[in-house]
Amino acid sequence: MQSLWNDTEAATFGTDLLGQRVYTSRLLGRNPALVLHGGGNTSVKVTERDFFGDSVNLCYVKGSGWDLGTIEREGFSPVRLDALIKMSKLATMSDEDMVLQQRAAMTNPNAPAASIEAILHAILPFRFVDHSHANAIAALTCNADGEARVKEVFGSRVIIVPYFMPGFILAKTIADLIVGRDLRAEGIQGMVLLKHGLFTFDDDARKSYELHIEMVTQAEEYLATRSAGFQPSEATISEDLLSLAKLRQAVSKHRGFPQITRLNASPEAVGYASLPNVATFGTRGPLTPDHSIRTKRAPAFISDDIDASVQAFANDYQAYFDRNASGQTKLDTAPRFALWPNHGIVSFGDTLKDANIVADIAESTAATVALGEAVGGWEPLPESDIFAIEYWDLEQAKLRKGPARKVHQGKIAIVTGCAAGIGFAIAESLAEQGAQVVGLDIDKDIPDIMKKIGGIGIVVNLTEDQPVQDAIDFTVRQFGGIDIVVSNAGIFPKNDYLDAMAQTDWDRTIMINLTSHQKLMNKVIPFVKAGIDASIIFVGSRNFKAPGPGASAYSCSKAALTQLCRVAALELAPNKIRVNIVHPDAVFDTKLWTPEALQKSATRYGMTVEEYKTKNLMKVEIKSKDIGNMVSAMASPLFSKVTGAQIPVDGGNDRVI
Ligand code: ZN
């Protein structure tokens, strides 16, 4: 492992102690083998003037909710050093009191809550303290011989600390270990917390950080010599997207919410998931106890019977809870990641961000557990210690802080013809309500257009079979399934009477407005059947019930599309998939309607543009966003018992009513 220290870069963070602390914290956070997603913590001790001008000794400790990799000055909580040291001298202290007293001792009450390891940072008599949950330290110490190995690698440079729950008890244990000692004279440069992580310390920011890198490198080198000959499995990678969607469906059912699902099918991930005995050693426990908050104690192991595998995980989790619980409320019994031989490692989350965090931890876990097993047997903490962290109220609080759940959170939607107008408004409404949206359009700008709403755009000619299949497969590969399909793509050909119409205009309209929808259904329905509270919505037109002269191709295609919707509703009702159609009318905020075209049409009716735009019974203007919001509602639980319905969004039309 290399030190990432760079003098020029360091200078941009300021030369004061807190500036240096921010810089080296980021260096630690930049390396995923040291720190992942909120893991690890750092501190610096400084003397400052308080509001009244009095000198005060502070310990700036990483605040909770901040990641080391992106931390800023305001991510550190200024806590009075004497208060923290006083706390370490108490015989006992509850977690709640510790959190409260740490906050009471802050000179800025608006700063984030200090890390639960603040007392531990305070009692170490060095200016800078760096703490990580390095993979190499886990592989070294999650073993029956962990302590002996640490002695062999680090000699007397480090204090070895047996596992204790982080917080007051750990700080107290370490206070007892160092009381009356002169760590500098003894040449102590760090502490290895067995099955937890590494601390290094020094009065110089760079030295403390580089000690960390040096010690982790030493551990890596030790492991490398012991694991020579270890060969990761070279399994054949097979892809089965329908089974992936079924796995997501089973996990979502146990979780109670649709889950964004990330498949890691890299050779490393498939190799690990296919190792002999991985079902045994791969499910013993996490690298470091705080991962259990995100990943639970262990992954699920997926055999050929997907539902039975997920159920087996749920049964095991229930038994684990029953063995360890003492009054806690049980969390859901769904796995957060799964090992799937020949397919890879699959991670689940309420949002893409959550699923990606789990995927990062799972990847790190796979590499480290494989190494730990190869160098003498992976032996993580006993389950009672993991349970104590997984159900620790202070940790649960971190998860509860998330924002309220959106209607379509965790759902995956495909919208066709969404580069502009009604289609874009639909994609936008679904995304606003939390759906992961993939937009299909022939417009080459669709990737950039969808990026604006956090979605993915794919350039597809919907009348061609293979590109449509590829786009559907891509969506499932990316997110694990498909729950919402909005079949919207359509054209409005020029208004020719039947005796003047070019045959190509008719054929093209039927192909795009009708046949392309049928082709999409043919390919997407197998996945929708494995969706969560799945829903298909077609975008029709008022024209179907109130046709106009010169619009035969358009009216007929929309009428047939409505019939396609009705048949699909009949066919899919047994699968609890609802199929409905929305009939918009007179939506003028689209590309088709230039100000000149609007003026021309208004003049033809002898109206002002304003009158023309609102020529419906309710005299209201219909906007693309009205259709978008209606479609989003139709995909929501509001319409959970509605299928085969035709919903007009037209302000009321006397020819239709
Ligand atoms: Zn820790």
Side-chain angles (χ1 to χ4, degrees), residues 18 42-47 56-62 76-82 84 105-106 114 117-124 126-127 129:
L18 186 55
T42 57
S43 66
V44 60
K45 299 176 185 76
V46 304
T47 304
V56 53
N57 291 323
L58 296 176
C59 185
Y60 274 93
V61 189
K62 193 204 97 157
F76 286 90
S77 316
V79 194
R80 290 176 193 276
L81 192 59
D82 57 351
L84 289 170
M106 281 161 44
E117 283 169 323
I119 300 174
L120 172 46
H121 280 264
I123 60 173
L124 293 168
F126 296 86
R127 197 176 277 289
V129 177

PDB file of all heavy atoms in Angstrom, residues 18 42-47 56-62 76-82 84 105-106 114 117-124 126-127 129:
ATOM      1  N   LEU A  18      -6.102  21.464  12.129  1.00  0.00           N
ATOM      2  CA  LEU A  18      -7.368  20.907  11.642  1.00  0.00           C
ATOM      3  C   LEU A  18      -7.331  20.711  10.120  1.00  0.00           C
ATOM      4  O   LEU A  18      -7.831  19.706   9.593  1.00  0.00           O
ATOM      5  CB  LEU A  18      -8.552  21.799  12.047  1.00  0.00           C
ATOM      6  CG  LEU A  18      -9.944  21.250  11.713  1.00  0.00           C
ATOM      7  CD1 LEU A  18     -10.171  19.851  12.294  1.00  0.00           C
ATOM      8  CD2 LEU A  18     -11.044  22.201  12.200  1.00  0.00           C
ATOM      9  N   THR A  42     -11.057   9.618  12.806  1.00  0.00           N
ATOM     10  CA  THR A  42      -9.778  10.287  13.037  1.00  0.00           C
ATOM     11  C   THR A  42     -10.001  11.447  13.994  1.00  0.00           C
ATOM     12  O   THR A  42     -11.147  11.855  14.220  1.00  0.00           O
ATOM     13  CB  THR A  42      -9.226  10.854  11.712  1.00  0.00           C
ATOM     14  OG1 THR A  42     -10.209  11.734  11.165  1.00  0.00           O
ATOM     15  CG2 THR A  42      -8.916   9.768  10.702  1.00  0.00           C
ATOM     16  N   SER A  43      -8.894  11.965  14.557  1.00  0.00           N
ATOM     17  CA  SER A  43      -9.029  13.117  15.451  1.00  0.00           C
ATOM     18  C   SER A  43      -7.732  13.916  15.502  1.00  0.00           C
ATOM     19  O   SER A  43      -6.684  13.428  15.065  1.00  0.00           O
ATOM     20  CB  SER A  43      -9.369  12.642  16.875  1.00  0.00           C
ATOM     21  OG  SER A  43      -8.273  11.913  17.394  1.00  0.00           O
ATOM     22  N   VAL A  44      -7.858  15.123  16.016  1.00  0.00           N
ATOM     23  CA  VAL A  44      -6.677  15.955  16.280  1.00  0.00           C
ATOM     24  C   VAL A  44      -6.946  16.773  17.547  1.00  0.00           C
ATOM     25  O   VAL A  44      -8.062  17.226  17.779  1.00  0.00           O
ATOM     26  CB  VAL A  44      -6.348  16.876  15.079  1.00  0.00           C
ATOM     27  CG1 VAL A  44      -7.508  17.820  14.753  1.00  0.00           C
ATOM     28  CG2 VAL A  44      -5.080  17.688  15.342  1.00  0.00           C
ATOM     29  N   LYS A  45      -5.903  16.914  18.368  1.00  0.00           N
ATOM     30  CA  LYS A  45      -6.049  17.690  19.604  1.00  0.00           C
ATOM     31  C   LYS A  45      -5.427  19.073  19.404  1.00  0.00           C
ATOM     32  O   LYS A  45      -4.297  19.173  18.938  1.00  0.00           O
ATOM     33  CB  LYS A  45      -5.369  16.950  20.766  1.00  0.00           C
ATOM     34  CG  LYS A  45      -5.999  15.577  21.007  1.00  0.00           C
ATOM     35  CD  LYS A  45      -5.290  14.784  22.083  1.00  0.00           C
ATOM     36  CE  LYS A  45      -5.877  13.389  22.200  1.00  0.00           C
ATOM     37  NZ  LYS A  45      -5.446  12.466  21.115  1.00  0.00           N
ATOM     38  N   VAL A  46      -6.184  20.104  19.726  1.00  0.00           N
ATOM     39  CA  VAL A  46      -5.710  21.480  19.516  1.00  0.00           C
ATOM     40  C   VAL A  46      -6.046  22.338  20.734  1.00  0.00           C
ATOM     41  O   VAL A  46      -6.911  21.981  21.533  1.00  0.00           O
ATOM     42  CB  VAL A  46      -6.367  22.129  18.260  1.00  0.00           C
ATOM     43  CG1 VAL A  46      -6.138  21.294  17.020  1.00  0.00           C
ATOM     44  CG2 VAL A  46      -7.848  22.339  18.483  1.00  0.00           C
ATOM     45  N   THR A  47      -5.336  23.463  20.839  1.00  0.00           N
ATOM     46  CA  THR A  47      -5.690  24.449  21.860  1.00  0.00           C
ATOM     47  C   THR A  47      -6.222  25.677  21.135  1.00  0.00           C
ATOM     48  O   THR A  47      -5.584  26.171  20.202  1.00  0.00           O
ATOM     49  CB  THR A  47      -4.454  24.814  22.703  1.00  0.00           C
ATOM     50  OG1 THR A  47      -3.925  23.606  23.256  1.00  0.00           O
ATOM     51  CG2 THR A  47      -4.819  25.755  23.838  1.00  0.00           C
ATOM     52  N   VAL A  56      -8.745  26.855  25.498  1.00  0.00           N
ATOM     53  CA  VAL A  56      -9.445  25.600  25.753  1.00  0.00           C
ATOM     54  C   VAL A  56      -8.804  24.491  24.913  1.00  0.00           C
ATOM     55  O   VAL A  56      -8.458  24.698  23.757  1.00  0.00           O
ATOM     56  CB  VAL A  56     -10.970  25.738  25.460  1.00  0.00           C
ATOM     57  CG1 VAL A  56     -11.230  26.277  24.078  1.00  0.00           C
ATOM     58  CG2 VAL A  56     -11.694  24.424  25.653  1.00  0.00           C
ATOM     59  N   ASN A  57      -8.589  23.339  25.571  1.00  0.00           N
ATOM     60  CA  ASN A  57      -8.036  22.184  24.850  1.00  0.00           C
ATOM     61  C   ASN A  57      -9.184  21.375  24.256  1.00  0.00           C
ATOM     62  O   ASN A  57     -10.093  20.957  24.969  1.00  0.00           O
ATOM     63  CB  ASN A  57      -7.235  21.284  25.801  1.00  0.00           C
ATOM     64  CG  ASN A  57      -5.968  21.970  26.260  1.00  0.00           C
ATOM     65  OD1 ASN A  57      -5.329  22.690  25.482  1.00  0.00           O
ATOM     66  ND2 ASN A  57      -5.607  21.771  27.522  1.00  0.00           N
ATOM     67  N   LEU A  58      -9.120  21.157  22.949  1.00  0.00           N
ATOM     68  CA  LEU A  58     -10.205  20.442  22.261  1.00  0.00           C
ATOM     69  C   LEU A  58      -9.679  19.200  21.568  1.00  0.00           C
ATOM     70  O   LEU A  58      -8.520  19.162  21.139  1.00  0.00           O
ATOM     71  CB  LEU A  58     -10.831  21.341  21.194  1.00  0.00           C
ATOM     72  CG  LEU A  58     -11.533  22.611  21.662  1.00  0.00           C
ATOM     73  CD1 LEU A  58     -12.008  23.409  20.444  1.00  0.00           C
ATOM     74  CD2 LEU A  58     -12.713  22.275  22.572  1.00  0.00           C
ATOM     75  N   CYS A  59     -10.550  18.222  21.469  1.00  0.00           N
ATOM     76  CA  CYS A  59     -10.271  17.077  20.611  1.00  0.00           C
ATOM     77  C   CYS A  59     -11.292  17.157  19.471  1.00  0.00           C
ATOM     78  O   CYS A  59     -12.493  17.018  19.701  1.00  0.00           O
ATOM     79  CB  CYS A  59     -10.425  15.777  21.404  1.00  0.00           C
ATOM     80  SG  CYS A  59      -9.967  14.322  20.462  1.00  0.00           S
ATOM     81  N   TYR A  60     -10.804  17.474  18.267  1.00  0.00           N
ATOM     82  CA  TYR A  60     -11.690  17.473  17.095  1.00  0.00           C
ATOM     83  C   TYR A  60     -11.814  16.034  16.612  1.00  0.00           C
ATOM     84  O   TYR A  60     -10.833  15.445  16.154  1.00  0.00           O
ATOM     85  CB  TYR A  60     -11.101  18.326  15.972  1.00  0.00           C
ATOM     86  CG  TYR A  60     -11.440  19.798  16.052  1.00  0.00           C
ATOM     87  CD1 TYR A  60     -10.593  20.706  16.691  1.00  0.00           C
ATOM     88  CD2 TYR A  60     -12.609  20.275  15.459  1.00  0.00           C
ATOM     89  CE1 TYR A  60     -10.905  22.051  16.749  1.00  0.00           C
ATOM     90  CE2 TYR A  60     -12.927  21.630  15.515  1.00  0.00           C
ATOM     91  CZ  TYR A  60     -12.074  22.504  16.160  1.00  0.00           C
ATOM     92  OH  TYR A  60     -12.384  23.835  16.203  1.00  0.00           O
ATOM     93  N   VAL A  61     -13.019  15.466  16.733  1.00  0.00           N
ATOM     94  CA  VAL A  61     -13.226  14.060  16.362  1.00  0.00           C
ATOM     95  C   VAL A  61     -14.171  14.000  15.169  1.00  0.00           C
ATOM     96  O   VAL A  61     -15.123  14.791  15.073  1.00  0.00           O
ATOM     97  CB  VAL A  61     -13.873  13.275  17.528  1.00  0.00           C
ATOM     98  CG1 VAL A  61     -13.876  11.780  17.232  1.00  0.00           C
ATOM     99  CG2 VAL A  61     -13.153  13.547  18.821  1.00  0.00           C
ATOM    100  N   LYS A  62     -13.954  13.040  14.281  1.00  0.00           N
ATOM    101  CA  LYS A  62     -14.848  12.866  13.132  1.00  0.00           C
ATOM    102  C   LYS A  62     -16.299  12.819  13.601  1.00  0.00           C
ATOM    103  O   LYS A  62     -16.628  12.081  14.531  1.00  0.00           O
ATOM    104  CB  LYS A  62     -14.518  11.568  12.388  1.00  0.00           C
ATOM    105  CG  LYS A  62     -15.188  11.495  11.014  1.00  0.00           C
ATOM    106  CD  LYS A  62     -15.374  10.078  10.507  1.00  0.00           C
ATOM    107  CE  LYS A  62     -16.771   9.610  10.814  1.00  0.00           C
ATOM    108  NZ  LYS A  62     -17.267   8.516   9.970  1.00  0.00           N
ATOM    109  N   PHE A  76     -15.828  17.736  11.572  1.00  0.00           N
ATOM    110  CA  PHE A  76     -15.210  17.361  12.857  1.00  0.00           C
ATOM    111  C   PHE A  76     -15.929  18.071  14.008  1.00  0.00           C
ATOM    112  O   PHE A  76     -16.239  19.257  13.916  1.00  0.00           O
ATOM    113  CB  PHE A  76     -13.723  17.728  12.854  1.00  0.00           C
ATOM    114  CG  PHE A  76     -12.907  16.787  12.009  1.00  0.00           C
ATOM    115  CD1 PHE A  76     -12.706  17.040  10.660  1.00  0.00           C
ATOM    116  CD2 PHE A  76     -12.378  15.619  12.558  1.00  0.00           C
ATOM    117  CE1 PHE A  76     -11.982  16.157   9.869  1.00  0.00           C
ATOM    118  CE2 PHE A  76     -11.650  14.732  11.773  1.00  0.00           C
ATOM    119  CZ  PHE A  76     -11.452  15.002  10.425  1.00  0.00           C
ATOM    120  N   SER A  77     -16.154  17.342  15.093  1.00  0.00           N
ATOM    121  CA  SER A  77     -16.846  17.905  16.252  1.00  0.00           C
ATOM    122  C   SER A  77     -15.818  18.357  17.292  1.00  0.00           C
ATOM    123  O   SER A  77     -14.990  17.564  17.715  1.00  0.00           O
ATOM    124  CB  SER A  77     -17.731  16.844  16.903  1.00  0.00           C
ATOM    125  OG  SER A  77     -18.421  16.126  15.930  1.00  0.00           O
ATOM    126  N   PRO A  78     -15.893  19.626  17.710  1.00  0.00           N
ATOM    127  CA  PRO A  78     -14.939  20.113  18.718  1.00  0.00           C
ATOM    128  C   PRO A  78     -15.425  19.766  20.131  1.00  0.00           C
ATOM    129  O   PRO A  78     -16.379  20.359  20.626  1.00  0.00           O
ATOM    130  CB  PRO A  78     -14.942  21.629  18.486  1.00  0.00           C
ATOM    131  CG  PRO A  78     -16.288  21.925  17.877  1.00  0.00           C
ATOM    132  CD  PRO A  78     -16.812  20.671  17.242  1.00  0.00           C
ATOM    133  N   VAL A  79     -14.770  18.795  20.758  1.00  0.00           N
ATOM    134  CA  VAL A  79     -15.199  18.356  22.088  1.00  0.00           C
ATOM    135  C   VAL A  79     -14.099  18.711  23.096  1.00  0.00           C
ATOM    136  O   VAL A  79     -12.910  18.525  22.814  1.00  0.00           O
ATOM    137  CB  VAL A  79     -15.441  16.822  22.126  1.00  0.00           C
ATOM    138  CG1 VAL A  79     -16.203  16.432  23.387  1.00  0.00           C
ATOM    139  CG2 VAL A  79     -16.200  16.363  20.889  1.00  0.00           C
ATOM    140  N   ARG A  80     -14.509  19.235  24.276  1.00  0.00           N
ATOM    141  CA  ARG A  80     -13.525  19.593  25.308  1.00  0.00           C
ATOM    142  C   ARG A  80     -12.786  18.343  25.769  1.00  0.00           C
ATOM    143  O   ARG A  80     -13.399  17.360  26.184  1.00  0.00           O
ATOM    144  CB  ARG A  80     -14.220  20.244  26.498  1.00  0.00           C
ATOM    145  CG  ARG A  80     -14.750  21.636  26.186  1.00  0.00           C
ATOM    146  CD  ARG A  80     -15.524  22.218  27.362  1.00  0.00           C
ATOM    147  NE  ARG A  80     -16.268  23.386  26.929  1.00  0.00           N
ATOM    148  CZ  ARG A  80     -15.740  24.617  26.848  1.00  0.00           C
ATOM    149  NH1 ARG A  80     -14.487  24.831  27.208  1.00  0.00           N
ATOM    150  NH2 ARG A  80     -16.473  25.621  26.420  1.00  0.00           N
ATOM    151  N   LEU A  81     -11.449  18.434  25.672  1.00  0.00           N
ATOM    152  CA  LEU A  81     -10.607  17.276  25.979  1.00  0.00           C
ATOM    153  C   LEU A  81     -10.768  16.844  27.431  1.00  0.00           C
ATOM    154  O   LEU A  81     -10.859  15.644  27.741  1.00  0.00           O
ATOM    155  CB  LEU A  81      -9.143  17.640  25.676  1.00  0.00           C
ATOM    156  CG  LEU A  81      -8.136  16.508  25.659  1.00  0.00           C
ATOM    157  CD1 LEU A  81      -8.495  15.449  24.616  1.00  0.00           C
ATOM    158  CD2 LEU A  81      -6.738  17.055  25.361  1.00  0.00           C
ATOM    159  N   ASP A  82     -10.819  17.829  28.373  1.00  0.00           N
ATOM    160  CA  ASP A  82     -10.887  17.449  29.787  1.00  0.00           C
ATOM    161  C   ASP A  82     -12.180  16.692  30.099  1.00  0.00           C
ATOM    162  O   ASP A  82     -12.187  15.751  30.894  1.00  0.00           O
ATOM    163  CB  ASP A  82     -10.708  18.670  30.710  1.00  0.00           C
ATOM    164  CG  ASP A  82     -11.732  19.771  30.428  1.00  0.00           C
ATOM    165  OD1 ASP A  82     -12.461  19.658  29.413  1.00  0.00           O
ATOM    166  OD2 ASP A  82     -11.803  20.738  31.211  1.00  0.00           O
ATOM    167  N   LEU A  84     -13.841  14.681  28.019  1.00  0.00           N
ATOM    168  CA  LEU A  84     -13.716  13.307  27.503  1.00  0.00           C
ATOM    169  C   LEU A  84     -12.838  12.468  28.430  1.00  0.00           C
ATOM    170  O   LEU A  84     -13.131  11.297  28.701  1.00  0.00           O
ATOM    171  CB  LEU A  84     -13.129  13.327  26.081  1.00  0.00           C
ATOM    172  CG  LEU A  84     -14.059  13.867  24.986  1.00  0.00           C
ATOM    173  CD1 LEU A  84     -13.293  14.059  23.672  1.00  0.00           C
ATOM    174  CD2 LEU A  84     -15.241  12.930  24.751  1.00  0.00           C
ATOM    175  N   ALA A 105     -20.305  18.647  25.816  1.00  0.00           N
ATOM    176  CA  ALA A 105     -18.923  19.125  25.932  1.00  0.00           C
ATOM    177  C   ALA A 105     -18.411  19.763  24.648  1.00  0.00           C
ATOM    178  O   ALA A 105     -17.254  20.155  24.556  1.00  0.00           O
ATOM    179  CB  ALA A 105     -18.016  17.963  26.332  1.00  0.00           C
ATOM    180  N   MET A 106     -19.296  19.882  23.650  1.00  0.00           N
ATOM    181  CA  MET A 106     -18.856  20.481  22.389  1.00  0.00           C
ATOM    182  C   MET A 106     -18.899  22.012  22.480  1.00  0.00           C
ATOM    183  O   MET A 106     -19.827  22.561  23.058  1.00  0.00           O
ATOM    184  CB  MET A 106     -19.754  20.003  21.239  1.00  0.00           C
ATOM    185  CG  MET A 106     -19.397  18.605  20.763  1.00  0.00           C
ATOM    186  SD  MET A 106     -20.683  17.749  19.818  1.00  0.00           S
ATOM    187  CE  MET A 106     -21.254  19.009  18.725  1.00  0.00           C
ATOM    188  N   ALA A 114     -20.228  13.746  17.862  1.00  0.00           N
ATOM    189  CA  ALA A 114     -18.882  13.175  17.769  1.00  0.00           C
ATOM    190  C   ALA A 114     -18.974  11.654  17.670  1.00  0.00           C
ATOM    191  O   ALA A 114     -19.913  11.043  18.174  1.00  0.00           O
ATOM    192  CB  ALA A 114     -18.065  13.570  18.989  1.00  0.00           C
ATOM    193  N   GLU A 117     -16.338   6.721  19.224  1.00  0.00           N
ATOM    194  CA  GLU A 117     -15.000   6.376  19.690  1.00  0.00           C
ATOM    195  C   GLU A 117     -14.235   7.626  20.162  1.00  0.00           C
ATOM    196  O   GLU A 117     -13.022   7.616  20.313  1.00  0.00           O
ATOM    197  CB  GLU A 117     -14.258   5.566  18.612  1.00  0.00           C
ATOM    198  CG  GLU A 117     -14.798   4.128  18.625  1.00  0.00           C
ATOM    199  CD  GLU A 117     -14.395   3.181  17.476  1.00  0.00           C
ATOM    200  OE1 GLU A 117     -14.282   3.621  16.333  1.00  0.00           O
ATOM    201  OE2 GLU A 117     -14.235   2.000  17.756  1.00  0.00           O
ATOM    202  N   ALA A 118     -14.965   8.724  20.457  1.00  0.00           N
ATOM    203  CA  ALA A 118     -14.328   9.992  20.848  1.00  0.00           C
ATOM    204  C   ALA A 118     -13.510   9.866  22.131  1.00  0.00           C
ATOM    205  O   ALA A 118     -12.408  10.416  22.224  1.00  0.00           O
ATOM    206  CB  ALA A 118     -15.396  11.084  21.007  1.00  0.00           C
ATOM    207  N   ILE A 119     -14.043   9.151  23.125  1.00  0.00           N
ATOM    208  CA  ILE A 119     -13.314   9.054  24.406  1.00  0.00           C
ATOM    209  C   ILE A 119     -11.981   8.341  24.182  1.00  0.00           C
ATOM    210  O   ILE A 119     -10.935   8.752  24.696  1.00  0.00           O
ATOM    211  CB  ILE A 119     -14.157   8.296  25.466  1.00  0.00           C
ATOM    212  CG1 ILE A 119     -15.485   9.030  25.704  1.00  0.00           C
ATOM    213  CG2 ILE A 119     -13.385   8.141  26.776  1.00  0.00           C
ATOM    214  CD1 ILE A 119     -16.448   8.283  26.630  1.00  0.00           C
ATOM    215  N   LEU A 120     -12.032   7.297  23.363  1.00  0.00           N
ATOM    216  CA  LEU A 120     -10.818   6.545  23.042  1.00  0.00           C
ATOM    217  C   LEU A 120      -9.785   7.450  22.370  1.00  0.00           C
ATOM    218  O   LEU A 120      -8.592   7.426  22.705  1.00  0.00           O
ATOM    219  CB  LEU A 120     -11.216   5.367  22.147  1.00  0.00           C
ATOM    220  CG  LEU A 120     -10.141   4.508  21.501  1.00  0.00           C
ATOM    221  CD1 LEU A 120      -9.054   4.128  22.487  1.00  0.00           C
ATOM    222  CD2 LEU A 120     -10.784   3.250  20.934  1.00  0.00           C
ATOM    223  N   HIS A 121     -10.228   8.280  21.432  1.00  0.00           N
ATOM    224  CA  HIS A 121      -9.307   9.215  20.772  1.00  0.00           C
ATOM    225  C   HIS A 121      -8.695  10.164  21.810  1.00  0.00           C
ATOM    226  O   HIS A 121      -7.504  10.471  21.756  1.00  0.00           O
ATOM    227  CB  HIS A 121     -10.046  10.018  19.699  1.00  0.00           C
ATOM    228  CG  HIS A 121     -10.232   9.261  18.416  1.00  0.00           C
ATOM    229  ND1 HIS A 121      -9.384   9.381  17.350  1.00  0.00           N
ATOM    230  CD2 HIS A 121     -11.171   8.355  18.044  1.00  0.00           C
ATOM    231  CE1 HIS A 121      -9.794   8.590  16.359  1.00  0.00           C
ATOM    232  NE2 HIS A 121     -10.877   7.955  16.760  1.00  0.00           N
ATOM    233  N   ALA A 122      -9.530  10.620  22.750  1.00  0.00           N
ATOM    234  CA  ALA A 122      -9.069  11.636  23.708  1.00  0.00           C
ATOM    235  C   ALA A 122      -7.982  11.104  24.636  1.00  0.00           C
ATOM    236  O   ALA A 122      -7.039  11.823  24.975  1.00  0.00           O
ATOM    237  CB  ALA A 122     -10.266  12.131  24.528  1.00  0.00           C
ATOM    238  N   ILE A 123      -8.094   9.848  25.048  1.00  0.00           N
ATOM    239  CA  ILE A 123      -7.142   9.349  26.056  1.00  0.00           C
ATOM    240  C   ILE A 123      -5.791   8.976  25.466  1.00  0.00           C
ATOM    241  O   ILE A 123      -4.837   8.769  26.208  1.00  0.00           O
ATOM    242  CB  ILE A 123      -7.716   8.126  26.826  1.00  0.00           C
ATOM    243  CG1 ILE A 123      -8.029   6.987  25.851  1.00  0.00           C
ATOM    244  CG2 ILE A 123      -8.948   8.530  27.642  1.00  0.00           C
ATOM    245  CD1 ILE A 123      -8.431   5.698  26.539  1.00  0.00           C
ATOM    246  N   LEU A 124      -5.692   8.908  24.147  1.00  0.00           N
ATOM    247  CA  LEU A 124      -4.400   8.581  23.541  1.00  0.00           C
ATOM    248  C   LEU A 124      -3.554   9.857  23.521  1.00  0.00           C
ATOM    249  O   LEU A 124      -3.969  10.856  22.933  1.00  0.00           O
ATOM    250  CB  LEU A 124      -4.599   8.017  22.131  1.00  0.00           C
ATOM    251  CG  LEU A 124      -5.305   6.653  22.112  1.00  0.00           C
ATOM    252  CD1 LEU A 124      -5.747   6.282  20.694  1.00  0.00           C
ATOM    253  CD2 LEU A 124      -4.417   5.558  22.698  1.00  0.00           C
ATOM    254  N   PHE A 126      -1.444  11.571  22.013  1.00  0.00           N
ATOM    255  CA  PHE A 126      -0.789  12.016  20.785  1.00  0.00           C
ATOM    256  C   PHE A 126      -1.728  12.989  20.091  1.00  0.00           C
ATOM    257  O   PHE A 126      -2.947  12.895  20.219  1.00  0.00           O
ATOM    258  CB  PHE A 126      -0.510  10.823  19.853  1.00  0.00           C
ATOM    259  CG  PHE A 126       0.466   9.830  20.424  1.00  0.00           C
ATOM    260  CD1 PHE A 126       0.032   8.807  21.255  1.00  0.00           C
ATOM    261  CD2 PHE A 126       1.832   9.943  20.150  1.00  0.00           C
ATOM    262  CE1 PHE A 126       0.929   7.902  21.795  1.00  0.00           C
ATOM    263  CE2 PHE A 126       2.743   9.026  20.685  1.00  0.00           C
ATOM    264  CZ  PHE A 126       2.285   8.006  21.516  1.00  0.00           C
ATOM    265  N   ARG A 127      -1.127  13.900  19.322  1.00  0.00           N
ATOM    266  CA  ARG A 127      -1.939  14.945  18.698  1.00  0.00           C
ATOM    267  C   ARG A 127      -2.878  14.369  17.627  1.00  0.00           C
ATOM    268  O   ARG A 127      -4.053  14.682  17.594  1.00  0.00           O
ATOM    269  CB  ARG A 127      -0.997  15.984  18.073  1.00  0.00           C
ATOM    270  CG  ARG A 127      -1.671  17.284  17.775  1.00  0.00           C
ATOM    271  CD  ARG A 127      -0.680  18.312  17.249  1.00  0.00           C
ATOM    272  NE  ARG A 127       0.065  19.012  18.285  1.00  0.00           N
ATOM    273  CZ  ARG A 127      -0.439  19.919  19.121  1.00  0.00           C
ATOM    274  NH1 ARG A 127      -1.729  20.191  19.096  1.00  0.00           N
ATOM    275  NH2 ARG A 127       0.327  20.524  19.994  1.00  0.00           N
ATOM    276  N   VAL A 129      -4.653  11.027  15.774  1.00  0.00           N
ATOM    277  CA  VAL A 129      -5.013   9.613  15.927  1.00  0.00           C
ATOM    278  C   VAL A 129      -5.789   9.193  14.677  1.00  0.00           C
ATOM    279  O   VAL A 129      -6.746   9.858  14.269  1.00  0.00           O
ATOM    280  CB  VAL A 129      -5.877   9.386  17.189  1.00  0.00           C
ATOM    281  CG1 VAL A 129      -6.313   7.918  17.285  1.00  0.00           C
ATOM    282  CG2 VAL A 129      -5.120   9.806  18.451  1.00  0.00           C
TER     283      VAL A 129
END
